[in-house]
Amino acid sequence: SAVISQKPSRDICQRGTSLTIQCQVDSQVTMMFWYRQQPGQSLTLIATANQGSEATYESGFVIDKFPISRPNLTFSTLTVSNMSPEDSSIYLCSVTGYNEQFFGPGTRLTVL
Amino acid sequence: AQSVTQPDIHITVSEGASLELRCNYSYGATPYLFWYVQSPGQGLQLLLKYFSGDTLVQGIKGFEAEFKRSQSSFNLRKPSVHWSDAAEYFCAVEPRYGSSNTGKLIFGQGTTLQVKP
């Protein structure tokens, strides 16, 4: 199985600021994914991050708001830009391996 | 469009009683199917998955799920619920394109399970 860590685990931010979330995997993986879980809601895929290429965003998510980096096969970052209270969510990193999707513990973001 | 529906937002069962959580999906072909559990303050844990073959799959913690193609369903069951099973349960599908998996998951809305002593 893949072990995923995320930093920070939680943060409280002011509106208009940006936060970068880090995702580290203990093995090399081709595809990494970023999900958002709004309060009391299900998980929604934000984008797919492949090493060596630009991230692919799902409908409703744009690069200017959620820029993603994927510098190598074990690491990715998601930035939540120009935050508003509506961005308050849990952000989860995920990877595919062994015919399974593994999830990180999540980053709980509160925007005031 | 592909979608996953969990008709029951909230279910309450007594400890020791049986449990069935419903999941229906909308997809042109048979996707990969998953059930995840999320306990308060915890990450997502995979309970079981279905790719092909035997339509009754066994998972961890005594859970099982049955894939019914004719009903586009993948219901989760447990014969006897424990208080520690109280959590949020998510059904998810992974669309496939030909023989390739996408790695992307589409989640249902989730079912909150409450267990009465």
Side-chain angles (χ1 to χ4, degrees), chain A residues 31 33 35 37 40-45 48 56 58 90 92 94 96 98-105 108, chain B residues 6 32 34 36 38 41-44 46 49 51 88 90-91 94 101-110:
Chain A
M31 292 188 288
F33 305 89
Y35 288 83
Q37 185 177 22
Q41 303 296 314
S42 184
L43 287 82
T44 301
L45 180 64
T48 303
T56 304
E58 299 298 308
I90 300 173
L92 298 102
S94 170
T96 299
Y98 310 101
N99 286 327
E100 183 175 333
Q101 279 68 34
F102 300 92
F103 286 84
R108 183 179 295 271
Chain B
Q6 293 180 243
Y32 292 157
F34 306 83
Y36 286 88
Q38 187 179 41
Q42 303 296 312
L44 281 169
L46 179 68
K49 59 189 177 185
F51 290 167
E88 186 84 12
F90 292 98
C91 179
E94 179 184 345
N101 61 316
T102 62
K104 303 178 181 182
L105 294 183
I106 301 171
F107 284 85
Q109 301 93 319

Side-chain angles (χ1 to χ4, degrees), chain A residues 11 13-20 65 79-83:
Chain A
D11 207 342
C13 301
Q14 297 297 319
R15 71 169 66 213
T17 63
S18 298
L19 176 71
T20 295
K65 177 66 175 176
T79 299
V80 186
S81 303
N82 188 24
M83 289 184 285

Side-chain angles (χ1 to χ4, degrees), chain B residues 50-102:
Chain B
Y50 173 78
F51 290 167
S52 65
D54 192 347
T55 56
L56 184 63
V57 294
Q58 302 297 320
I60 63 171
K61 302 184 179 185
F63 286 93
E64 67 177 26
E66 185 172 14
F67 168 61
K68 292 186 177 180
R69 185 190 307 274
S70 62
Q71 299 177 18
S72 296
S73 69
F74 188 56
N75 294 348
L76 181 71
R77 299 194 295 248
K78 186 169 185 178
S80 177
V81 170
H82 188 263
W83 64 266
S84 61
D85 293 324
E88 186 84 12
Y89 291 80
F90 292 98
C91 179
V93 303
E94 179 184 345
R96 298 168 59 190
Y97 297 105
S99 59
S100 301
N101 61 316
T102 62

Side-chain angles (χ1 to χ4, degrees), chain A residues 20-39:
Chain A
T20 295
I21 302 168
Q22 299 178 7
C23 176
Q24 180 75 53
V25 189
D26 68 343
S27 58
Q28 293 185 339
V29 293
T30 302
M31 292 188 288
M32 296 180 75
F33 305 89
W34 287 97
Y35 288 83
R36 180 177 72 180
Q37 185 177 22
Q38 294 178 299

Side-chain angles (χ1 to χ4, degrees), chain A residues 52-70:
Chain A
S53 63
E54 285 207 359
T56 304
Y57 290 82
E58 299 298 308
S59 176
F61 298 96
V62 295
I63 187 171
D64 289 347
K65 177 66 175 176
F66 298 101
I68 289 171
S69 78
R70 182 79 199 274

